Amino acid sequence: MPPSDIADALPLLRCLGGNSPFLSSLALRQPTAIRDVWTRGPDDAFAHVLSSLTHVNILAKRAEIAAALRQTKREAALVIAIADIGGLWPLETVTGALSRLAEATIGLALRHLLGTAHAAHEITLSDPEHPDTDCGFVALGMGKLGAAELNYSSDIDLILIYDASAPAYASGRAANNIGSFTSRLARDLVTLMEARDANGYVFRTDLRLRPDPAATPPAVALQSALTYYESMGQNWERTAMLKARPVAGDLGLGQRFLHAIRPFVWRRGLDFAAVADIHAMKRRINAAKKLTRDPAGHLGGFNVKLGEGGIREVEFIAQTLQVVWGGRDPSLRLRATLPALARLTEKGHLSPTASARLSESYRFLRQVEHRLQMVNDRQTHTLPEQESDLAQIACFMGYPDLASFLFNLRWHLQQVRASYHDVFEVTGAAPELDFRGDDPDASATADQLRDMGFTDPARVINCVRQWYAGRVRALRSSRAQELMNTVLPAVVAELAKQPDPDEAFGRFDRFISALPAGVQPMSLFHHNPILLERLAAVLGAAPRLADHLTRYPNAMEGLLSS
């Protein structure tokens, strides 16, 4: 409920004015939005703002549509900020409102473009007053928009798909070149959403998640998209599709498309290949952004989204476990992060302690992210470098001083990092592997292993010698030993890349020991280097999944199915 007296709003207004030039300007420009929050409550105030879009004439001039979209964005942004800063809405309501705003504005922009195309006899709509109906063009919301968890100053990721066989394209001038028409439609949609004018902008819009963006037009034909995902889709695209959702246009077309690619996204077998690729993606992000700094150190300039212990690590935990187990369990196919963590815990794939810790820290870090973006309406996730600017963010977060804010922030980063290690990178002691040397001590081999990162080469060497001595059932035949001798250097090299090479090799030893036969797996390793790379990543990064693979070796086929 809103405060009963407008005077109660003064502390909040001082917070807006003292910490955010962007919100200060909005408050001066849209004073009625502040009044509505305090007199009607944030839910009704937000609904009232969105309702204004339903009264816009879709056949109005382009400039009028653009002005209406930007006016709605300004008012809604202020209402949402007040509800967030004032503690009137929890995180899910804040991010949900931002996502509903994006959907509503995309929807109006697309209805306008389709309606004017019909009026100009370019296409023939079945219901011109409701241009979305069977229009054969859909906007899929991806990422945080698809999951209804947009951040305060978020870009929106879209994939635009059209069905050339839709009745709307059967007659009219566009029928002669549907691809050209839909490409122009896509470009006009992006311009309406992100072009800046005196009224500001609506949402920055990104179409680069579509199939092969360097070689495809901005709107992709349905059949081309299906063919791409069936034959060339990559694991990162599967993870992206976890959150895909039709948000505007022909929603039925969007649902049919997502149903058609369900076998690509959700594999029936346990999908360990995704573990390797997602974990490698995180390492590449760290390397590219130089984000490996210790959260316990200085936090000026720290990226709360991509840095160690940040928002992305929580998302990666949820998405990885969903991809692995969701093929067999449809109940895990949730788009939003917090519900996914809860469901994974309910199904026994994440401990209650880790889930509670991750959820609490995710909420906190998203709040920090929002405050950073509210300052100047910038899509930033990076803490200020200067102590005075950091102190301003601490004040904006409601902390009495910088020290208490940094203490709490550091605690949450460490909690997330600990959970990430628990799920992906648990280290410890275990048996190992290596080459079969002629000298009894294998000193040269031991030195080589030590240089590669193994801390106990003697145990590795002893373990491998036991393999060659026939102590492991799968390696008793001469053919299996010959193949193992061929792939062993690659095995060692891949395991050495893992966070703890000794632990990763120990899991490999347990996996080999569980195999009923060795010729076929060793041959697969020899002819499919990617399989060995992915197996090593699973063994080195995901102990629970490695244990499952040891109990059910046939599940290794999931590492090839991508």
Side-chain angles (χ1 to χ4, degrees):
M1 294 294 293
S4 57
D5 194 306
I6 195 68
D8 295 334
L10 292 178
L12 178 60
L13 293 176
R14 284 195 291 267
C15 181
L16 297 182
N19 294 294
S20 171
F22 168 67
L23 293 178
S24 299
S25 65
L26 282 186
L28 292 172
R29 194 169 182 178
Q30 314 291 161
T32 57
I34 300 175
R35 180 200 62 201
D36 286 349
V37 172
W38 253 258
T39 58
R40 308 173 63 160
D43 294 329
D44 284 350
F46 180 70
H48 176 69
V49 171
L50 282 196
S51 69
S52 65
L53 294 178
T54 64
H55 303 303
V56 176
N57 179 6
I58 61 171
L59 296 181
K61 293 181 179 179
R62 186 72 52 87
E64 294 177 35
I65 298 295
L69 292 172
R70 283 151 181 75
Q71 171 72 13
T72 298
K73 168 66 183 294
R74 290 196 306 271
E75 293 184 12
L78 186 56
V79 169
I80 293 168
I82 293 171
D84 186 1
I85 296 168
L88 304 175
W89 279 351
L91 173 67
E92 293 91 330
T93 307
V94 171
T95 57
L98 290 164
S99 302
R100 286 168 56 198
L101 171 63
E103 291 177 54
T105 52
I106 298 166
L108 175 59
L110 191 51
R111 288 193 297 275
H112 163 72
L113 295 170
L114 291 167
T116 53
H118 173 84
H121 306 292
E122 291 186 283
I123 59 175
T124 305
L125 297 171
S126 60
D127 184 356
E129 295 196 4
H130 301 89
D132 327 67
T133 304
D134 299 326
C135 67
F137 189 97
V138 65
L140 294 179
M142 306 295 290
K144 285 186 165 58
L145 174 58
E149 50 187 16
L150 280 183
N151 55 50
Y152 192 77
S153 185
S154 185
D155 296 352
I156 53 174
D157 294 306
L158 299 176
I159 293 180
L160 304 177
I161 292 176
Y162 68 92
D163 181 1
S165 67
Y169 307 120
S171 59
R173 295 197 307 274
N176 296 323
N177 196 335
I178 299 172
S180 176
F181 168 76
T182 53
S183 291
R184 175 163 52 85
L185 184 65
R187 288 191 292 270
D188 288 346
L189 176 63
V190 171
T191 299
L192 259 176
M193 295 299 292
E194 71 174 19
R196 290 180 179 269
D197 58 25
N199 295 311
Y201 72 106
V202 191
F203 284 94
R204 293 175 296 271
T205 306
D206 194 336
L207 304 182
R208 289 176 296 176
L209 286 182
R210 69 185 186 273
D212 196 8
T216 55
V220 183
L222 173 64
Q223 194 55 50
S224 297
L226 292 175
T227 300
Y228 173 85
Y229 288 118
E230 289 170 0
S231 60
M232 299 175 63
Q234 301 177 50
N235 269 326
W236 73 264
E237 291 172 306
R238 294 178 55 213
T239 343
M241 282 295 172
L242 295 185
K243 298 182 181 295
R245 177 172 61 94
V247 296
D250 191 337
L251 302 184
L253 169 61
Q255 294 292 358
R256 292 193 298 275
F257 168 73
L258 292 180
H259 179 78
I261 66 167
R262 188 178 297 167
F264 163 70
V265 180
W266 302 106
R267 303 293 168 82
R268 288 194 302 173
L270 295 182
D271 186 9
F272 295 103
V275 179
D277 288 356
I278 293 175
H279 196 59
M281 188 189 310
K282 181 63 172 67
R283 290 197 299 269
R284 287 195 298 271
I285 290 172
N286 286 350
K289 303 286 186 180
K290 298 181 173 59
L291 296 171
T292 55
R293 72 170 74 192
D294 182 1
H298 177 60
L299 289 177
F302 186 83
N303 190 310
V304 297
K305 176 183 177 180
L306 301 178
E308 290 191 2
I311 294 166
R312 183 55 55 85
E313 290 192 357
V314 181
E315 294 170 341
F316 274 3
I317 289 171
Q319 290 170 10
T320 302
L321 295 177
Q322 284 180 284
V323 168
V324 171
W325 303 103
R328 290 186 173 184
D329 187 350
S331 73
L332 295 174
R333 300 172 189 177
L334 302 175
R335 294 185 178 96
T337 302
L338 290 171
L341 291 173
R343 185 62 55 80
L344 288 163
T345 304
E346 176 187 326
K347 295 293 184 173
H349 303 305
L350 191 64
S351 74
T353 300
S355 180
R357 186 165 59 190
L358 288 167
S359 298
E360 179 186 4
S361 296
Y362 179 80
R363 292 177 186 277
F364 175 84
L365 293 170
R366 289 298 306 269
Q367 188 179 48
V368 174
E369 177 185 55
H370 284 180
R371 298 300 178 273
L372 291 171
Q373 295 177 354
M374 285 175 178
V375 173
N376 286 306
D377 189 28
R378 289 180 54 232
Q379 174 69 333
T380 182
H381 314 276
T382 303
L383 293 172
E385 290 279 2
Q386 299 300 318
E387 186 171 310
S388 59
D389 295 330
L390 273 173
Q392 180 182 341
I393 296 299
C395 176
F396 206 2
M397 286 287 293
Y399 283 86
D401 53 59
L402 177 58
S404 56
F405 167 66
L406 292 180
F407 177 85
N408 207 23
L409 172 59
R410 186 171 287 111
W411 185 87
H412 282 292
L413 294 173
Q414 290 169 341
Q415 295 302 302
V416 172
R417 194 59 183 160
S419 293
Y420 191 83
H421 275 279
D422 285 345
V423 174
F424 289 108
E425 299 174 346
V426 171
T427 60
E432 285 73 349
L433 162 196
D434 189 24
F435 300 66
R436 181 169 44 171
D438 292 334
D439 61 305
D441 297 329
S443 57
T445 300
D447 289 341
Q448 181 182 2
L449 287 172
R450 195 174 289 106
D451 290 341
M452 295 174 72
F454 292 92
T455 60
D456 194 349
R459 295 185 66 190
V460 176
I461 294 166
N462 181 60
C463 185
V464 175
R465 285 178 171 175
Q466 290 185 18
W467 294 353
Y468 287 123
R471 303 279 179 88
V472 173
R473 177 176 53 177
L475 299 176
R476 286 175 184 164
S477 73
S478 58
R479 178 57 178 159
Q481 289 193 13
E482 177 183 342
L483 287 169
M484 168 54 80
N485 198 48
T486 300
V487 301
L488 188 54
V491 168
V492 175
E494 289 298 334
L495 294 173
K497 297 176 184 177
Q498 305 312 309
D500 186 331
D502 300 87
E503 178 70 20
F505 177 71
R507 294 176 188 141
F508 183 87
D509 177 55
R510 292 193 289 274
F511 169 73
I512 290 293
S513 299
L515 291 174
V519 172
Q520 183 180 7
M522 296 307 112
S523 181
L524 282 172
F525 292 155
H526 179 60
H527 294 289
N528 299 276
I530 189 65
L531 172 62
L532 181 55
E533 179 183 340
R534 287 170 171 170
L535 176 63
V538 170
L539 297 176
R544 293 187 182 183
L545 301 179
D547 290 341
H548 184 90
L549 198 58
T550 298
R551 292 194 301 273
Y552 304 99
N554 288 338
M556 184 176 67
E557 68 183 33
L559 293 167
L560 279 174
S561 58
S562 63

